[in-house]
Amino acid sequence: MTVSAPTSALSSQEVEDDRPTTEPPTVPLARDTPGRPKSGRRRAVSQERLASLVQGRKAVLCVDNVSVSFDGFKALNELTLILDAGELRCIIGPNGAGKTTLMDCITGKTRPDAGSVYLVGHGEDLIGLSEHEIAALGICRKFQRPTVFGGHSVFENLELALAGNRSVWRALFGGLSKAEAEVIDQTLETIGLKEARDRPAGQLSHGQKQWLEIGMLLAQKPRVLLVDEPIAGMTHAETERTAELLVSLAGERTVVVVEHDMEFVRNIASRVTVLHEGRVLAEGSLDQVQANSEVVEVYLGAGHA
Amino acid sequence: MSALAVFRRMHSTRGWLVFGACALVALVLIPLFHSALPPTSPLAVSDRLIALLGKFCCYAITAVALDLIWGFTGMLSLGHGVFFALGGYAMGMYLMLGIGSQGVYRSNLPDFMVFLDWKELPWFWHGFNRFFFALFAALWVPGLLAYVFGYFAFRSRIRGVYFSIITQALTYALMLLFFRNDTGLGGNNGLTDFKQIYGWPLALSQTKRMLYVLTAASLLLTYLLCRYVVTGKMGRVLRAVRDAESRVMFLGYDTRKYKLFAWTFSAVLCGLAGALYVPQVGIINPSELQPSNSIEMAIWAAVGGRGTLVGAALGAFVVNGAKSWFTVALPELWLYVLGALFILVTLFLPEGLVGAFNKLLERRGVKVAVAAGGKSS
Ligand SMILES: Nc1ncnc2c1ncn2[C@@H]1O[C@H](COP(=O)(O)OP(=O)(O)O)[C@@H](O)[C@H]1O
Ligand SMILES: [Mg+2]
């Protein structure tokens, strides 16, 4: 197989930033998070604080009083959110509510001004860890736009994602074990891309890329899976398959889905959190939050109900 | 991983045959023609030509090393002349001390030190009277500088054009440093007038041949090492970093370490190239550190085709072959030709000569596998 030219390999899917509104990724501004080094300020988890948040629930991830402001504008405002082990959680909210920013904070892409993120069982505050460290702890993320490596084959994409030793040494001298190759082949089967195994991922259709990306997330064996607007740009059939897949993924792991589409949310959700202006406005089942008058006003009132 | 699997992963059978043919020509035929054929023979290889080929091989090593960092990792270094020059200076120091008391001033000190009225060797010259000490220094000094420089650059997440600019600044700063007499490396004039290497007089035809063979073998070895790197998991991670670094980070890879490996390894190879270069051209001076020198290196890789290794080496031979011809025939035109070549390649052959060649083959229905990545598992 030939490899496309260095610059053209990922033309349609840069992942530096999901937002069309912010600066281009190559310009590291002070506030532009991809350019900010994050090593250095590690903090231990305060066990009492964690216990008081969890209150006996089987929690896996706690976002504690997190605030983020962009040039004075508060994208997240003392937000607190607790995710239970194995649950499927939908996060909804109008545009600009801070949903993507919340994911950025959890995954280390954005460093909040205040607050903490705890992963139960891990002794360190996730705020202060770098992206790759958080990812290695099993918190994985699917971006809004599909971001597969277009110049790599489907198989190679999964190989890169596969959970395991990520040391330079291993990359130089190690090989793929039989068991690992089997995991990849299984994943290929799950996501229905067995036929496309050796094709460059850049040649896949939009929907197939989304699937491959979900496969990559699975290969990472995550504890928490964060999925940002998974069905944007999908066909109806693809949407349905995605809903099924997300439901089947929860249970073994915690899945957090950010979505606009209420139909979709109704199909999959057990529990819904409504964000508004960087804060949790309501939490509960979809019917409960839809009955909430505040929610109706800010969100559902805008034509959805 | 078994040796056979590695062998298979690096090249197809046909690829290995081509490689073997190149090795045969470079390591056997050319030296043979140089030593055995009379100068009147049409295939004769003169002393001048074999030294020239040796020089080109040094450039090709540099280009392959640069391709690893630019073509595969996506970081355009415009400062690889630094590592080349450091390797060159390390070897130059050995050669300088090898002159002994045969210099103009009949002193044990190098001439330029006598001229500056120094009484003894500066501390950092100690040990350089030994060949292997110097050769080792030619590898670790560039490697260490690259490691430290890369550590801070990658930690601050300097990328893209910013990275290119600071590497240019690095070579410029070092050039100014090396121009100073106080630096203790011969200032403006650099190190030259070498007499012998490892007991062999440099003027001797055999010495030239031996140096050429060593350089050509180093080029082949460099290629194999880089090929090993890029066809393994390391290469796949590096290409992924090139295409979408933050995505790789979100997969749990510490991309800094990967970049640091490629960058340092590349610098060490350049140091080797510099060390082989100096005994063959007989001089090393700060002009090697001119920013334009490093830019030229990038042009070699671009002309040959980035991200293929072979292309980079080919580009080094083609561009420098043209340069040798032009600087004799039409010296004042060379810079224009180089500029035009670069523009033409960028516009019409974005994948370089190798890319164009592959397209040609593909159009004829031949499957090509020059670029790395290839098959998995
Ligand atoms: N890097 C940034 N710089 C400046 N403002 C930002 C940045 N990222 C997000 N914002 C702002 O923060 C708010 C929340 O954004 P976001 O989290 O993307 O919302 P959502 O995903 O819920 O639509 C928006 O008003 C957005 O403009
Ligand atoms: Mg968003």
Side-chain angles (χ1 to χ4, degrees):
Chain A
M1 155 211 144
T2 48
V3 162
S4 46
T7 43
S8 66
L10 209 86
S11 46
S12 63
Q13 55 232 29
E14 296 120 46
V15 285
E16 290 293 343
D17 209 293
D18 281 314
R19 301 185 179 86
T21 49
T22 45
E23 307 294 332
T26 44
V27 187
L29 298 176
R31 270 290 171 195
D32 187 26
T33 48
R36 262 203 296 172
K38 298 181 188 63
S39 50
R41 265 201 272 138
R42 289 160 178 274
R43 285 176 298 181
V45 170
S46 146
Q47 292 303 331
E48 297 97 72
R49 177 75 193 145
L50 185 57
S52 77
L53 278 171
V54 171
Q55 291 183 339
R57 287 163 67 179
K58 261 188 71 191
V60 61
L61 194 79
C62 300
V63 177
D64 180 14
N65 256 318
V66 166
S67 296
V68 178
S69 55
F70 295 109
D71 304 319
F73 170 76
K74 288 217 157 185
L76 292 184
N77 195 355
E78 298 179 358
L79 182 132
T80 297
L81 181 72
I82 294 159
L83 296 168
D84 290 341
E87 79 168 315
L88 174 59
R89 175 78 64 100
C90 271
I91 296 184
I92 61 174
N95 248 330
K99 305 179 297 287
T100 301
T101 307
L102 172 63
M103 297 213 161
D104 287 346
C105 288
I106 296 174
T107 54
K109 191 175 178 187
T110 295
R111 163 89 64 92
D113 306 316
S116 299
V117 177
Y118 307 121
L119 178 66
V120 174
H122 185 70
E124 268 174 320
D125 190 342
L126 297 192
I127 306 296
L129 300 190
S130 50
E131 293 99 314
H132 69 89
E133 289 170 315
I134 295 174
L137 286 171
I139 299 182
C140 302
R141 170 172 194 179
K142 191 195 161 305
F143 285 89
Q144 235 161 296
R145 273 188 282 163
T147 47
V148 298
F149 299 106
H152 293 62
S153 72
V154 169
F155 184 92
E156 287 170 340
N157 270 276
L158 291 171
E159 183 209 9
L160 283 174
L162 199 65
N165 188 333
R166 258 104 163 96
S167 73
V168 168
W169 186 262
R170 175 86 202 277
L172 270 177
F173 301 111
L176 205 59
S177 74
K178 261 229 160 65
E180 286 174 322
E182 255 162 46
V183 172
I184 295 180
D185 282 327
Q186 261 169 20
T187 313
L188 279 170
E189 196 125 9
T190 313
I191 59 177
L193 288 177
K194 221 174 157 196
E195 306 303 308
R197 182 181 191 276
D198 292 320
R199 272 173 60 197
Q203 291 179 5
L204 300 179
S205 73
H206 178 80
Q208 285 176 315
K209 280 182 193 160
Q210 298 273 23
W211 285 99
L212 174 56
E213 204 186 354
I214 291 175
M216 290 168 74
L217 291 169
L218 292 181
Q220 280 180 270
K221 298 219 178 81
R223 281 180 74 186
V224 179
L225 191 57
L226 306 170
V227 190
D228 202 351
E229 305 202 16
I231 62 164
M234 275 197 175
T235 65
H236 190 72
E238 283 169 340
T239 303
E240 266 174 25
R241 272 186 86 184
T242 307
E244 275 168 38
L245 186 76
L246 290 173
V247 171
S248 74
L249 292 181
E252 253 178 84
R253 51 191 83 69
T254 306
V255 180
V256 181
V257 183
V258 165
E259 194 44 73
H260 276 301
D261 188 303
M262 296 307 283
E263 191 80 25
F264 184 76
V265 173
R266 183 173 296 283
N267 276 343
I268 65 167
S270 49
R271 209 176 160 80
V272 177
T273 299
V274 186
L275 286 198
H276 179 54
E277 292 179 348
R279 247 195 268 246
V280 175
L281 193 65
E283 202 169 292
S285 73
L286 187 60
D287 291 329
Q288 278 169 354
V289 302
Q290 276 183 325
N292 182 313
S293 60
E294 267 184 295
V295 174
V296 172
E297 196 171 315
V298 304
Y299 186 55
L300 303 169
H304 274 278
Chain B
M1 238 191 200
S2 77
L4 187 68
V6 169
F7 193 77
R8 285 250 179 80
R9 135 193 145 186
M10 284 170 65
H11 279 298
S12 62
T13 312
R14 202 182 57 187
W16 278 113
L17 284 177
V18 173
F19 179 83
C22 290
L24 187 74
V25 171
L27 298 182
V28 179
L29 291 187
I30 291 178
L32 197 70
F33 291 171
H34 175 245
S35 68
L37 292 182
T40 48
S41 155
L43 284 176
V45 175
S46 65
D47 277 5
R48 204 187 77 77
L49 182 60
I50 208 157
L52 194 69
L53 287 174
K55 196 168 93 169
F56 287 1
C57 287
C58 294
Y59 292 149
I61 294 174
T62 313
V64 170
L66 184 68
D67 195 26
L68 186 66
I69 205 69
W70 185 23
F72 287 90
T73 319
M75 301 186 291
L76 170 56
S77 163
L78 293 178
H80 260 43
V82 166
F83 309 124
F84 186 85
L86 286 177
Y89 267 99
M91 187 51 72
M93 286 160 82
Y94 162 78
L95 295 168
M96 208 66 189
L97 295 180
I99 299 171
S101 53
Q102 290 170 281
V104 178
Y105 298 109
R106 304 284 160 210
S107 158
N108 272 326
L109 283 182
D111 280 349
F112 78 88
M113 293 186 193
V114 181
F115 185 76
L116 292 173
D117 206 19
W118 291 3
K119 297 295 174 229
E120 54 183 285
L121 278 182
W123 61 269
F124 59 87
W125 278 74
H126 287 286
F128 277 93
N129 52 344
R130 278 171 293 163
F131 176 76
F132 285 102
F133 181 93
L135 184 62
F136 188 55
L139 305 179
W140 75 257
V141 173
L144 182 69
L145 176 67
Y147 186 89
V148 172
F149 179 87
Y151 179 85
F152 288 106
F154 302 149
R155 200 181 66 154
S156 316
R157 305 199 177 187
I158 295 173
R159 293 182 192 152
V161 68
Y162 301 96
F163 183 78
S164 304
I165 290 170
I166 62 164
T167 53
Q168 274 271 284
L170 176 72
T171 187
Y172 190 70
L174 236 73
M175 180 178 76
L176 296 184
L177 179 71
F178 277 53
F179 261 128
R180 294 159 44 104
N181 280 331
D182 302 344
T183 308
L185 288 166
N188 206 357
N189 299 320
L191 310 174
T192 186
D193 289 332
F194 312 131
K195 302 281 188 267
Q196 50 96 6
I197 183 167
Y198 212 69
W200 292 73
L202 283 166
L204 221 59
S205 195
Q206 279 123 298
T207 314
K208 291 190 204 296
R209 186 162 62 242
M210 181 188 69
L211 283 170
Y212 160 78
V213 170
L214 281 176
T215 314
S218 300
L219 171 59
L220 294 169
L221 185 71
T222 297
Y223 171 75
L224 288 183
L225 284 175
C226 290
R227 182 80 190 168
Y228 172 82
V229 169
V230 303
T231 53
K233 167 116 186 245
M234 171 59 82
R236 293 192 282 280
V237 176
L238 291 180
R239 283 189 292 127
V241 166
R242 174 192 77 195
D243 294 345
E245 182 171 358
S246 69
R247 179 75 176 97
V248 184
M249 289 196 297
F250 284 116
L251 286 177
Y253 290 89
D254 189 351
T255 55
R256 282 173 309 177
K257 290 190 182 146
Y258 285 81
K259 292 201 283 187
L260 204 50
F261 164 79
W263 172 245
T264 307
F265 185 56
S266 175
V268 169
L269 292 173
C270 275
L272 173 69
L276 291 161
Y277 175 82
V278 170
Q280 300 187 78
V281 299
I283 184 168
I284 174 81
N285 63 30
S287 70
E288 295 296 336
L289 287 161
Q290 275 170 12
S292 61
N293 249 38
S294 296
I295 293 176
E296 230 173 277
M297 292 171 181
I299 295 180
W300 304 337
V303 167
R306 282 175 294 154
T308 60
L309 299 179
V310 177
L314 187 73
F317 279 100
V318 169
V319 175
N320 283 296
K323 182 178 183 174
S324 293
W325 187 82
F326 266 101
T327 43
V328 174
L330 302 158
E332 63 286 350
L333 273 187
W334 168 243
L335 276 182
Y336 296 101
V337 172
L338 184 67
L341 187 68
F342 186 55
I343 293 170
L344 288 176
V345 165
T346 314
L347 288 181
F348 299 109
L349 298 177
E351 290 169 51
L353 296 173
V354 167
F357 183 68
N358 279 349
K359 274 211 187 99
L360 215 72
L361 285 186
E362 259 168 27
R363 212 170 291 164
R364 296 190 169 189
V366 186
K367 279 214 159 178
V368 282
V370 167
K375 281 176 267 146
S376 32
S377 84

